[in-house]
Amino acid sequence: MVRLIRESFAVVEPHSDEVAKFFYGTLFSIAPQTRELFAANMEVQRSRLLRALVHVIQMVDKPDELLPFLQQLGRDHRKFGVVTQHYEAVGTALLAAIKRYAGDAWTDQVERAWAEAYTVMASAMTEAAAADDGPAWYTGQVLHHERLSWDLAVIRVQTDHPVPYLPGQYVSVEVPQRPRLWRYLSPANAPSDDGVMEFHVRSVEGGWVSRALVGHARPGDQWRIGSPMGRLTVDRENSPDILMVAGGTGVTPLRAIIDDLAQYGENPRVQLFYGGRTREDLYDLDNLRRIAMQNPWLTVTGVLENDPDVDGVEHGTIADVVSRYGAWEDWDVLVSGSPAMIRATVSKMLVAGTTLDHIRYDPFTLD
């Protein structure tokens, strides 16, 4: 089943944009009531669909990793008002889209493999959603909005009930400036008793929500926050040493982990490589260095790609710099940043000899 799914998806993947458009067109045709679950602009949603599919394909032979991801996805989808009967329509639309673009690679065997795989996926998601007795979303109010630069803002939100996230996880948010356009954000702080969550948001090209948050979020705004997701977490008592590789605002989930570890006197060694194109991209470097000065288990290395005159940092792409230090055998590796940065870093580390089983990253990092 794994081989058939991967081989057929390899044929389909070059047509990913068309696949996503066909999928949603089919879904809204056979289940018109699902259209109101999504925003008018479907560009981001189509991108997320393909990232989720790619992530599932990568983990389809690793049930210990795939099952928690699907369970998180199922709990998170409650915020859309998704119910069990929607999953049948989604499965029909998904298989129709893959069949259309798989061409001669689509056979009866391939169809059975995809049908069986989707049944497992849907069961895991629906069972997790049904078993979760927490709210479908949490309500939060913006306390503070500070622009650090023209394209970067720090936003602090206080929720009515503490969101049960682990340091390093991310959540989806819906904001009044962009109704029904949920965006994934990673808290930059460990969970606190007062329910305050800090988010670092950079405006990205084509980012409807990120641009609205950087430019127009205001104290008093009411946010909806979905269930926590992600596997960039650390078990400090059982973890080996930890390599963290971050690009830009991808540092936020790793910062939350460091914030949590800083409460303890003894921790695994943590080496953070924090990269960007110019010095301005490393907006949190000075703060992270201050934390490292007080915590001998933490080492922070800045990496700049296009700013050769800056001292006190490494120069080059973050993928190249990390790989210069070796294969990082026996270290847990956490990678966070843009999809392109994650792809380049993971590929380079694999070539350098890092074991894939030691590398973790999340599929939803930039919208």
Side-chain angles (χ1 to χ4, degrees), residues 98-116:
I98 295 170
K99 178 180 180 179
R100 180 179 178 87
Y101 290 94
D104 294 339
W106 190 262
T107 65
D108 290 343
Q109 271 190 312
V110 170
E111 184 169 2
R112 281 195 297 272
W114 275 98
E116 290 173 13

Side-chain angles (χ1 to χ4, degrees), residues 35 38-46 179-181 206 208:
R35 182 63 185 91
F38 302 97
N41 186 306
M42 290 293 296
E43 183 178 350
V44 170
Q45 194 62 38
R46 288 194 292 267
R180 293 196 294 171
L181 267 179
W208 286 49

Side-chain angles (χ1 to χ4, degrees), residues 115-134:
E116 290 173 13
Y118 181 75
T119 299
V120 172
M121 292 164 53
S123 296
M125 292 175 68
T126 55
E127 288 169 8
D132 194 333
D133 55 4

Side-chain angles (χ1 to χ4, degrees), residues 145-254:
H145 174 273
E146 177 185 1
R147 290 186 77 156
L148 301 185
S149 65
W150 70 272
D151 66 344
L152 179 66
V154 172
I155 304 172
R156 294 186 183 91
V157 178
Q158 184 165 37
T159 55
D160 50 2
H161 300 287
V163 178
Y165 70 95
L166 299 174
Q169 288 191 305
Y170 58 95
V171 295
S172 54
V173 303
E174 183 193 40
V175 301
Q177 289 83 6
R178 292 289 185 266
R180 293 196 294 171
L181 267 179
W182 291 80
R183 188 193 194 274
Y184 290 108
L185 296 176
S186 296
N189 62 310
S192 59
D193 293 338
D194 60 7
V196 173
M197 305 171 75
E198 179 174 307
F199 299 100
H200 300 177
V201 185
R202 187 179 297 279
S203 175
V204 298
E205 185 178 355
W208 286 49
V209 178
S210 63
R211 286 183 295 174
L213 289 177
V214 171
H216 305 292
R218 296 292 180 265
D221 285 354
Q222 296 291 314
W223 286 19
R224 292 202 295 176
I225 300 173
S227 297
M229 298 182 65
R231 59 193 191 118
L232 291 184
T233 58
V234 169
D235 178 356
R236 58 173 294 273
E237 294 184 355
N238 299 303
S239 176
D241 294 332
I242 304 159
L243 169 64
M244 298 180 172
V245 187
T249 52
V251 76
T252 53
L254 309 181

Side-chain angles (χ1 to χ4, degrees), residues 278-279 282 285 289 304 306-315:
T278 66
R279 181 61 179 84
L282 306 188
L285 181 60
R289 283 174 168 168
L304 294 179
N306 296 328
D307 217 339
D309 297 328
V310 176
D311 296 325
V313 298
E314 296 270 11
H315 293 277

Side-chain angles (χ1 to χ4, degrees), residues 353-364:
T354 310
T355 305
L356 182 59
D357 289 346
H358 282 235
I359 302 175
R360 281 181 283 155
Y361 58 91
D362 284 323
F364 304 116

Side-chain angles (χ1 to χ4, degrees), residues 2 6 23 53 72 111 115 123 137 144 146 193 201 204 213 224 248 259 274 284 290 292 303 322 344 353:
V2 171
R6 284 184 170 159
F23 164 78
L53 263 181
Q72 289 179 351
E111 184 169 2
S123 296
W137 65 78
H144 175 81
E146 177 185 1
D193 293 338
V201 185
V204 298
L213 289 177
R224 292 202 295 176
D259 184 37
Y274 178 25
D284 206 34
R290 283 192 291 269
V303 181
V322 171

